[in-house]
Amino acid sequence: MATTLFLPFSAYAADEPAPGSSKGGKPGPAAIADVKITTELPERITVDNKTEGTELTAKVVNNGTKETGPITLTVVGFDGMRITAVKGCGQIPKGQLPPGSNSGFACVIDNVAAGKNRSYAVTATYDLQKAGKICLPVTEGTGKKLLWQQGPVAFGTSKPTPNAPDTPLLLGTDNTPAAQGDKPAEPSKPGKDAKPGKPDLPSTGIGDRTLALGLAGALLIAAGGAGFRWTSRRAR
């Protein structure tokens, strides 16, 4: 039986001063007043035109006055953007991804102190002939209580550069594939393949939905023994 190794508390990148953006994000229904969680993505990334590879940093920030306690940051790709790895995080099994998404990783975090952040190195591929989006939900513990969600938000460009070494993409911009000339790319629709009755990820730009119940189960799998350790720590 194939198994996937998850490292709930493995190394993460040190706090970085690099500027980021919470564009396309908003608090979830379970947001806590004293714990002001947000996420940040870079305003600009570049995609290698030959390999379709790209790298970015996903950050979860606590702007509140109290620590977060256990939370989970999830990085999910849609349409032309596929997440291939998030350093220190566990891959969500294909069968438990949110409907409409193509990839996802869960970063189980023991705590983020007030005024602090955690940064994660993300690698991805981007099919420049399609529109592509990324989503960063933050949930309480390894459950389904949504504290914050950014996206699904687009990375893209209206000026393709197929003959250049790479193509710069801007956050919050729908992608226009080179083959389509001046014709705008059809906006991606997260969850468009979802079956009736199956909840989808909420969207901060296309209309709110409730957090997928299947994702909560995936986070529990990604957490591994983290939940037990949290429980033991609290008991002590």
Side-chain angles (χ1 to χ4, degrees):
M1 178 178 178
T3 58
T4 304
L5 177 63
F6 296 110
L7 304 175
F9 300 115
S10 50
Y12 51 84
D15 291 359
E16 299 177 357
S21 172
S22 58
K23 181 181 295 184
K26 68 178 183 180
I32 305 170
D34 294 331
V35 183
K36 297 180 180 179
I37 294 177
T38 62
T39 56
E40 293 181 359
L41 289 166
E43 285 278 6
R44 180 181 181 275
I45 64 174
T46 57
V47 176
D48 187 301
N49 285 336
K50 291 185 177 180
T51 66
E52 297 187 337
T54 186
E55 297 179 350
L56 57 95
T57 299
K59 182 183 292 185
V60 58
V61 183
N62 179 9
N63 290 315
T65 57
K66 292 184 179 181
E67 60 184 18
T68 65
I71 57 173
T72 299
L73 166 69
T74 308
V75 183
V76 186
F78 291 87
D79 301 317
M81 191 167 194
R82 181 179 296 273
I83 311 302
T84 57
V86 181
K87 188 175 182 179
C89 304
Q91 185 171 11
I92 297 175
K94 183 177 180 180
Q96 297 192 39
L97 288 169
S101 65
N102 57 42
S103 53
F105 286 77
C107 306
V108 180
I109 304 169
D110 56 344
N111 184 55
V112 181
K116 300 296 183 179
N117 66 75
R118 298 281 182 99
S119 296
Y120 293 87
V122 179
T123 57
T125 59
Y126 196 113
D127 183 348
L128 292 168
Q129 295 305 308
K130 301 178 180 178
K133 294 192 175 185
I134 187 171
C135 187
L136 301 180
V138 179
T139 51
E140 185 179 64
T142 54
K144 61 183 180 181
K145 291 184 178 180
L146 186 64
L147 303 174
W148 165 270
Q149 180 165 312
Q150 184 175 10
V153 62
F155 270 109
T157 179
S158 58
K159 298 179 180 179
T161 56
N163 298 321
D166 54 46
T167 296
L169 302 181
L170 298 178
L171 183 67
T173 303
D174 286 330
N175 191 46
T176 301
Q180 293 188 6
D182 296 330
K183 182 180 179 181
E186 179 183 354
S188 54
K189 299 177 181 179
K192 62 184 177 181
D193 298 324
K195 296 180 180 179
K198 189 172 184 179
D200 196 359
L201 271 172
S203 168
T204 56
I206 306 178
D208 297 335
R209 301 180 181 90
T210 56
L211 184 68
L213 298 179
L215 179 59
L219 299 184
L220 287 171
I221 293 176
F228 173 75
R229 284 193 288 273
W230 288 336
T231 303
S232 298
R233 182 182 304 173
R234 288 172 177 174
R236 288 198 297 271

